[in-house]
Amino acid sequence: MNAVPNNTPPEVGAALQRLRLARGLTLEDLSRIAGVSKSMLSQIEREKANPTIAITWRLANALGVAIGELLSAAEKAVETIRVLDAHETPTLPGAHAGYLLRILGPMELAGKYEWYELTLAPGGELVSQAHDPGTTEHLTLLHGSVELEVAGVKRKVKLGGTARYAGDQDHAIRNPGKSEAKGLLVVIHR
């Protein structure tokens, strides 16, 4: 008995979504970068449409991967260890305010549990409005010095110290020092 060749096109939606989320991109972000409509991207990710080679090429270039990574095993076997290189870690630059947030947690946990590496330039600050009720934040200082302000109350955090505070109040993390400050920030939403 002869085997029947697989004549169905590769399903790239899962691979596309995995790569997009690993880079911290929204559908709108990828649409703008790749020049592919947001609705088309959504259809591809939901396996409602298969992209042309030209669209696949544009998506691969926008994501910084070889086209084969989108076309080969769309649903790769679960990796025992998944390592993200530094350039794959999404960042939220706040250069105007002197901070940089590297998103260390997986995107699928955003809105529940989030963790970041926070870097503050001398005089830099990360100012946040109150998050949803019950949200807490935990800041561990790895380098430098920071001052934390929550609902008008100020406290200094010493090197190696951890501050735990209400994230559902207006709050700010400031670097009053003359050198860069770095810490790990965990946000838990209730």
Side-chain angles (χ1 to χ4, degrees), residues 102-124:
R102 293 182 66 226
I103 304 171
L104 302 178
M107 296 307 286
E108 61 268 19
L109 292 180
K112 296 177 186 173
Y113 305 99
E114 302 167 10
W115 55 100
Y116 306 91
E117 176 189 74
L118 170 63
T119 304
L120 289 168

Side-chain angles (χ1 to χ4, degrees), residues 12 14 16-17 21 27 46 50 52 62 64-66 69 72 114 117 120 131 135 141 156-157 180 186 188:
V12 300
L16 176 62
Q17 185 177 51
L21 292 176
L27 283 171
R46 291 181 291 124
N50 279 307
T52 65
V65 298
E69 192 165 342
S72 64
E114 302 167 10
E117 176 189 74
L120 289 168
H131 303 304
T135 300
L141 187 60
K156 289 188 191 278
V157 181
E180 181 177 272
V186 176
I188 301 174

